[in-house]
Amino acid sequence: MKFSAPTGTQRRWFGVVARYVDGNNHYVLALRNSHSLVLSRRVNGQLTTLGSHAVNVVPGRDYVIRLDAFGDQLRAYLDGRLLFER
């Protein structure tokens, strides 16, 4: 995925979802133009950040994010590099 340059105070992100039950119950790994990769969990609508990693997000650059969900393990990758697991 590629970020375009933000205008004004726009917040941009893209992500992947795992263990999706519905809009109120799932995990999301999101790369944000606020220079972070964030893993969060939503349970019954309540959002909790499980981990984050600082990333120098550059507009126009391609990024590959991946979220592995095996058993009770979650692993977050950016451009093929494991950044954190839970």
Side-chain angles (χ1 to χ4, degrees), residues 10-25:
Q10 291 177 326
R11 294 186 301 166
R12 295 181 189 249
W13 65 275
F14 66 87
V16 294
V17 175
R19 298 185 177 140
Y20 184 87
V21 176
D22 56 35
N24 289 316
N25 298 282

Side-chain angles (χ1 to χ4, degrees), residues 27-70:
Y27 292 85
V28 175
L29 178 65
L31 183 61
R32 303 172 184 273
N33 72 333
S34 58
H35 302 288
S36 61
L37 183 70
V38 178
L39 177 62
S40 57
R41 172 180 64 196
R42 186 175 297 273
V43 176
N44 296 325
Q46 194 71 266
L47 190 65
T48 303
T49 298
L50 301 176
S52 66
H53 188 82
V55 176
N56 184 25
V57 176
V58 178
R61 182 185 179 282
D62 287 322
Y63 294 91
V64 176
I65 62 173
R66 183 174 110 202
L67 177 59
D68 289 346
F70 297 108

